[in-house]
Amino acid sequence: MQHLLCGLVVSLYVAVLRVSATPARWLPRQYQDPLTTSKTSPQECLETSLTNPKWGIFDPALITVNGSNGGSHGDIRFLTVNSATGLVANCTANNIELDPKGPDALSMWHNCSVPNLFFQFNLTSMDMRLKGTWSCDNSSRLAFAANGTWETPLIQGCLDDWNAPRGEETLCIMGNSQVSMGLSSPVTIQPQLPLLPYTPADMPYRCVDRSSDPEWTVESLLYRHHFAQMHNDTKTSHELALNLSNLSNNERVACSLTVDELAKSRSTDGSWPWIKCVPSHPPVNSNVSSTEVMLDTSYNVLGVRQTWNCSDGVPGVELETYSGTGFLGTGLQCGSPVNLAVTDKGGNVVGATSDYNCSLPATNLSGYADSMVPAMPHTYYTRSCTINSFNASSLSLREYQIDTSGTKKLGTFTLYNPGSGDTYRLYRMPVQDDGAWHQCIAGTEEPLPWQLVACQYQLGRKTGRIGFKMQWYCDDRDPNHAILFNVTVAKQLPAEKCDAPAAGNNTQQHAGEGSCHLPVNVTEVALPVSALTWTTQAGPMNRGPILPWI
């Protein structure tokens, strides 16, 4: 054992102290321990637990008895602090087997000074394992369970005492460290911080060096949104103009593009398209071979993909072509919509238009080389879908309309989910008014919301009862292991207000009905959550737009 430890010390270029007259007892602390750490608030605890929880390791030390003769018994101690709760624990075990063998080796755990925190140590591999559970407040239904391994602790110095009562004792001091936690409950994920783009503090001189960490300047951006409704026909168009400078090769691209019916060009999973930008004034001998732009107005994100060449005058050194992708939370500054009526030659109103413009001040946009783009969730990292889903207490019903004028009842419902930040619109879907649970069926005009994995509804108009069972993904804490949430909401609604049917229509089931809705003074109804469950998926979402951690 002594030779193993000393070999580690030598290989790490750490001085080894050998003192025969000084007993190998616990030495004074070498580092300032976080004994003054205060307990975190429940919200801070929840954020950290699902983001990047760690156990800090402070003042670790190890004693082996008769290690030079193959002895593997001894003592170990360290202090640890849970980054989520802020609680400090003393973990000490005396006269234990430091090198357990056999099938039961990994089942031998030692207690720390706080409940439900345990550790084990393996002298051969020099692994320290921790596992523990904690809650963020007494009333929380979330009990977190996690485990992690501190691999190959750094040996800083050792002392020998040949005259100790137990025999030769070797005390080794190890450096402070930390153990990253993997959550095993309430979800099985490896919480992680975002891999943000790296921007060098000093801009490298050569284009090939700058291309490893691409960056752009959005010099100007103008976005125009146009909506027109003529009779029963609607049309939406979008125009985007921007001036973009690639800071790798210092080339500027000015492009303007128009996308008609952008909403219909979106994928059924909600993905926004990347649109090839054709420069309005193509430069001569351009080193930029392609530029694509994505503007997601739902999540307010601007994306840029570009391919370019570098010509630094060093033949045979740099690669011929580079490519990169960058995202920016745009913070678009939009004006109020201008609504105008459209009239025919006789002055009759036949439609309406609604237009507004958005702009963006000059700003820099950092990105990734295409080979380095990380796995990205579909939601903002800075507004966790995961955390807010755990905290969700209700869904908001923002639209309710029942059309009974045809041969089938059609229901339109819009719900806002504060957990994921998504809005679900179930537009003119066939409904059954019997108070039982039924699967949501897409209407003929719009598909079901892409965010929903599953959807059921309950409609009982005689009793005024409405309910929904919905499933949605969250993937912003571990994009490779999305979490599937299941929620049930239901409530008694205010009495409906029904409009008379159109003249000549006698197909309605109830006299006087045509279209029924909530009272005009009811703009939103909170549907309380009666059940919320979740499971961890074995893989990523594989649905929804690809958006960055920004």
Side-chain angles (χ1 to χ4, degrees), residues 276-526:
K276 188 173 182 61
C277 174
V278 179
S280 52
H281 301 288
V284 179
N285 300 323
S286 172
N287 283 315
V288 175
S289 55
S290 71
T291 302
E292 292 179 292
V293 176
M294 182 270 290
L295 182 64
D296 186 330
T297 56
S298 294
Y299 291 92
N300 224 20
V301 172
L302 172 69
V304 172
R305 291 199 307 212
Q306 201 169 58
T307 302
W308 65 93
N309 295 328
C310 285
S311 52
D312 288 325
V314 186
V317 175
E318 65 267 14
L319 296 174
E320 179 181 355
T321 303
Y322 296 86
S323 57
T325 302
F327 295 96
L328 175 70
T330 59
L332 286 176
Q333 299 174 359
C334 299
S336 300
V338 177
N339 302 315
L340 299 175
V342 178
T343 58
D344 59 15
K345 294 181 179 180
N348 300 311
V349 176
V350 295
T353 62
S354 180
D355 300 337
Y356 63 87
N357 296 339
C358 304
S359 62
L360 179 71
T363 185
N364 279 13
L365 185 158
S366 299
Y368 312 83
D370 274 358
S371 61
M372 301 295 292
V373 177
M376 294 180 179
H378 90 284
T379 50
Y380 281 121
Y381 185 86
T382 51
R383 186 200 176 283
S384 171
C385 171
T386 298
I387 292 174
N388 287 282
S389 293
F390 281 124
N391 284 341
S393 59
S394 65
L395 301 187
S396 298
L397 179 65
R398 295 181 170 176
E399 184 179 10
Y400 172 95
Q401 184 172 351
I402 306 295
D403 185 353
T404 63
S405 60
T407 56
K408 291 183 178 180
K409 289 188 178 72
L410 301 177
T412 296
F413 314 104
T414 298
L415 293 102
Y416 172 68
N417 182 347
S420 63
D422 290 322
T423 298
Y424 316 131
R425 191 172 194 232
L426 310 172
Y427 183 65
R428 294 181 65 80
M429 71 173 187
V431 293
Q432 298 185 48
D433 181 13
D434 57 7
W437 288 100
H438 301 278
Q439 294 292 330
C440 300
I441 300 174
T444 58
E445 300 176 48
E446 286 188 14
L448 294 176
W450 67 266
Q451 299 97 326
L452 293 180
V453 181
C455 171
Q456 295 183 52
Y457 72 92
Q458 178 191 55
L459 182 64
R461 296 171 62 215
K462 290 183 179 179
T463 60
R465 184 79 172 174
I466 193 169
F468 296 93
K469 294 180 180 179
M470 293 182 167
Q471 292 183 334
W472 68 89
Y473 276 121
C474 289
D475 67 338
D476 50 4
R477 298 295 158 164
D478 184 353
N480 293 317
H481 301 90
I483 304 173
L484 181 63
F485 286 90
N486 305 269
V487 72
T488 301
V489 296
K491 189 172 184 177
Q492 197 88 8
L493 294 178
E496 291 179 348
K497 300 296 182 182
C498 297
D499 302 326
N505 189 339
N506 297 315
T507 60
Q508 67 277 5
Q509 294 184 359
H510 304 286
E513 285 194 11
S515 176
C516 298
H517 49 80
L518 296 180
V520 293
N521 61 337
V522 179
T523 58
E524 184 173 298
V525 177

Side-chain angles (χ1 to χ4, degrees), residues 55-122:
W55 283 295
I57 305 295
F58 298 90
D59 300 324
L62 169 70
I63 286 181
T64 58
V65 180
N66 296 321
S68 59
N69 295 322
S72 59
H73 280 72
D75 313 329
I76 190 168
R77 66 103 167 127
F78 57 93
L79 291 176
T80 182
V81 59
N82 186 321
S83 63
T85 63
L87 294 178
V88 178
N90 181 11
C91 300
T92 302
N94 296 320
N95 297 316
I96 64 170
E97 173 58 52
L98 296 170
D99 197 16
K101 305 289 186 181
D104 297 329
L106 293 179
S107 64
M108 298 174 59
W109 292 90
H110 309 287
N111 296 320
C112 294
S113 62
V114 300
N116 303 316
L117 179 60
F118 311 92
F119 74 96
Q120 61 180 206
F121 181 74
N122 185 286

Side-chain angles (χ1 to χ4, degrees), residues 105-168:
L106 293 179
S107 64
M108 298 174 59
W109 292 90
H110 309 287
N111 296 320
C112 294
S113 62
V114 300
N116 303 316
L117 179 60
F118 311 92
F119 74 96
Q120 61 180 206
F121 181 74
N122 185 286
L123 193 61
T124 300
S125 61
M126 295 293 285
D127 287 349
M128 179 87 74
R129 295 182 177 89
L130 287 89
K131 69 175 182 179
T133 62
W134 68 93
S135 295
C136 290
D137 61 79
N138 294 332
S139 61
S140 175
R141 55 187 166 177
L142 299 180
F144 291 95
N147 56 71
T149 302
W150 176 30
E151 298 178 355
T152 316
L154 174 67
I155 305 298
Q156 292 191 319
C158 297
L159 300 102
D160 289 341
D161 181 2
W162 286 271
N163 299 312
R166 294 184 295 181
E168 178 190 359

